[in-house]
Structure formats: structure tokens, C-alpha cells
Amino acid sequence: MATAKKKPTKTSAAKKKAAPARTKPKAAPAKAAPAKTKTKAKAAPAKTKAKAAPAKPKAAPAKKAAPAKKAAPARGPSTRPRSRAASLTTNGPASAPPLEPVERDRSRFLRDGEHFGAASIALHSVGNLETPSGTIVTCDPFLVDGPTLARTVTPGSYPVSLAVATFDGEKHKGDRRVAAATVHFREGVPSRWEVATFDEPPRKKGADPGYPVDAGTGCFMDASAQAAIRAEPTVWPTPSQKALERQLLTDNYTHTWSWAVYRPDPASTANCVAFMSGYGDGVYSSYWGLDETGAPVCLTTDFDVFTDEDWTAGRP
């Protein structure tokens, strides 16, 4: 009877040991639950990436800005391309030899009523360049950047004229641009022309000397006037910038062109004669008009308004 009493005790112990076995299967689903949580956690970044995908279309505004680049040449000479050269590459054979450049007699900028294709020239006197030093600077007066010209002239007061082109064609009808600006040192017509170089090497090897325009304005000024403008505070707008803007945009503004005559230092006669530059920004060269002895008759800045066809069609 004592042994029979012990057997039930072992059975109850076995049942107690079996109880944890039942607990383990219940624990399995508990482990599976985190697995589902991890799956959802991984799926969450996928949704985040899907939202990030529209970030690529943000490049679309850059495409909308592209027309601005196309519109920019509207201020520069590239709006009137030299199609003689372009016709060789678009319509002619690839092996065709390049055409000789059209000779440009810039004395035509000194003749009132001269014609260049569909454009006619009108000369306007805008004041005198006062150069007590005889050293001249050609630059954008709002940048005041650029070296002086290598050739100097006799100090004095010299008249400045603008060759304003009026376009009569349908495409540019009524449009007027400063095709060239000229300082006259003496009367007469130059016998030859020579590109005006600076007193320091050009920034680009092999390029014609020229000055950059970034504010749609060019000028002639005495070297001491440049020094006076450079000495002003650099905070925009400077006194010179205010004075030039007032004259260019209000006092002397005429449809699509204007000019300004400004003396930055009241204690000096040195001044700056500024004018709108053709179609706007670009790099423009100046040329000395010389007589038979090589003495300067004038100094002309060509704003490259006319194409090769304009120069050819305007010949008498």
C-alpha cells in the first residue's frame, strides 16, 4: 500500500514537468510577433523612399530656367548670328573651306546716315572725355575692372560720339542700339585701324583684347577717374553707381539706349563717359583710328551689333 501511494506522486511530478512543454508552444507565437513587427519596420522605409522619389522631378525647374539662357543672347551680338559661317556647317559640305572674314572698315561708324543692311546710323554727341592724365580706361563702369590702354594720348578734353543704329527690318523694327562709341582726338578720317591693347597681357591667350561688360554698359574714362571710383565704399550702391544709374535710366534715357557723363572726384576734371553697350553683356574690343604718321585720330569701341551680312549689304 505504501508503494501505491508513491506512484501517484511520480505522476503528479510528471505532470508538473509537462506543463513547461505546453508553455513553449505558446512562446513560439510570441517570437513570431516580433518577426511581423520587423517586416513592418522594413516596409516603412520603402514607403519613405517612395515619397522621396518625387525629389527627382524637382529638377524640372532647371528645365524651365533653360529658356532664360536662350533669352540671354537677346542682349548680346549672338542674337544676330554670322550666318555666312553657319551656312557652311548646316547646308554646305563638311569639307568646305572657311570663308574669309568680311573686312570691317570702322570709319563707317563716323558717317551719319551710313547703312548696314536693314539698319541706319545716326551720330549723337554726348559730351567730352576729360583726360588730364592722357591714360584711358575702357571698361564696364559698374565693375570698374580692367587695365588701362597701352597707348596714351595728349592730355585734354575730347568729344565723344555714339553711332546709334536703328533697325528697319520686320524682326527688329524700331529697335535702336549703340553700335559704336568713339572718342575724337582730331578731325579727319583714319587711314588705318589698329586693335587697342592693354598695358598688361590678355586674360585669354590668342584672344583679341577686349573688356567684359556685365551691366549692359561700357565707357571711356581717365585712369584717375577709375582710381577715384575704386576708392569709394564697396557697399552697393556706391555714389558713382547711383549717379550713373540716374543718368542712364532716367536723365538721358532714350528708347533702348542712353548715356552718362560723370565726374567722380569734384577736385579733379577727370571724368567717365558711359553708354549702353549694343545688345548688352559681352566682351568688346576697341580700335585706334590712325593717320598716315601713326598718330591717333580717334578711339572706337565696336559693340558687334552688325553681322557679316550687314557689313556686306551696307557697302555702296
Side-chain angles (χ1 to χ4, degrees):
M1 294 295 289
T3 305
K5 289 180 182 179
K6 290 180 182 180
K7 285 181 181 180
T9 306
K10 290 181 180 180
T11 303
S12 59
K15 288 180 181 180
K16 289 180 182 179
K17 290 181 181 179
R22 291 179 185 177
T23 307
K24 286 182 180 179
K26 289 181 181 179
K31 291 181 180 180
K36 290 181 181 180
T37 306
K38 289 181 180 179
T39 304
K40 289 181 180 179
K42 290 181 180 179
K47 291 181 181 178
T48 306
K49 289 181 180 178
K51 291 180 180 179
K56 292 182 179 178
K58 288 183 180 179
K63 292 182 180 179
K64 291 181 180 179
K69 292 183 180 179
K70 293 180 181 179
R75 298 176 297 170
S78 58
T79 53
R80 299 174 58 77
R82 302 187 181 187
S83 56
R84 291 179 74 250
S87 64
L88 283 179
T89 57
T90 56
N91 302 323
S95 59
L99 292 175
E100 290 296 325
V102 172
E103 183 180 353
R104 300 191 172 196
D105 179 11
R106 292 179 173 84
S107 298
R108 295 170 62 187
F109 288 137
L110 310 179
R111 295 198 289 264
D112 192 64
E114 179 70 28
H115 284 269
F116 292 82
S120 58
I121 289 292
L123 297 182
H124 296 265
S125 297
V126 295
N128 285 9
L129 172 67
E130 305 291 341
T131 174
S133 70
T135 302
I136 298 174
V137 177
T138 57
C139 69
D140 183 328
F142 290 94
L143 297 179
V144 204
D145 181 29
T148 59
L149 296 179
R151 181 190 290 269
T152 60
V153 298
T154 303
S157 177
Y158 301 106
V160 176
S161 68
L162 303 181
V164 179
T166 299
F167 291 90
D168 301 322
E170 293 183 3
K171 185 177 180 181
H172 302 280
K173 190 171 184 179
D175 191 19
R176 290 186 289 178
R177 302 286 170 169
V178 177
T182 301
V183 185
H184 302 267
F185 304 110
R186 65 182 67 182
E187 294 183 357
V189 178
S191 60
R192 62 187 179 89
W193 291 86
E194 178 183 283
V195 65
T197 58
F198 300 109
D199 61 357
E200 63 181 43
R203 297 177 180 179
K204 290 185 178 180
K205 187 177 180 180
D208 286 340
Y211 66 87
V213 168
D214 190 54
T217 309
C219 80
F220 300 116
M221 72 169 72
D222 185 80
S224 58
Q226 184 189 45
I229 294 176
R230 281 179 169 174
E232 293 177 348
T234 57
V235 179
W236 177 274
T238 66
S240 291
Q241 288 164 348
K242 285 182 179 179
L244 288 169
E245 279 188 341
R246 185 180 65 253
Q247 291 192 51
L248 288 166
L249 301 180
T250 304
D251 297 349
N252 301 326
Y253 181 79
T254 305
H255 177 60
T256 65
W257 71 280
S258 65
W259 78 95
V261 180
Y262 172 66
R263 190 173 66 179
D265 182 4
S268 172
T269 59
N271 73 349
C272 164
V273 181
F275 28 78
M276 285 189 174
S277 54
Y279 283 101
D281 300 349
V283 177
Y284 303 107
S285 296
S286 302
Y287 302 85
W288 293 103
L290 308 175
D291 64 13
E292 294 82 358
T293 65
V297 176
C298 62
L299 174 65
T300 297
T301 300
D302 184 351
F303 290 114
D304 203 21
V305 165
F306 300 123
T307 65
D308 285 347
E309 287 86 350
D310 293 332
W311 282 88
T312 305
R315 287 176 177 174

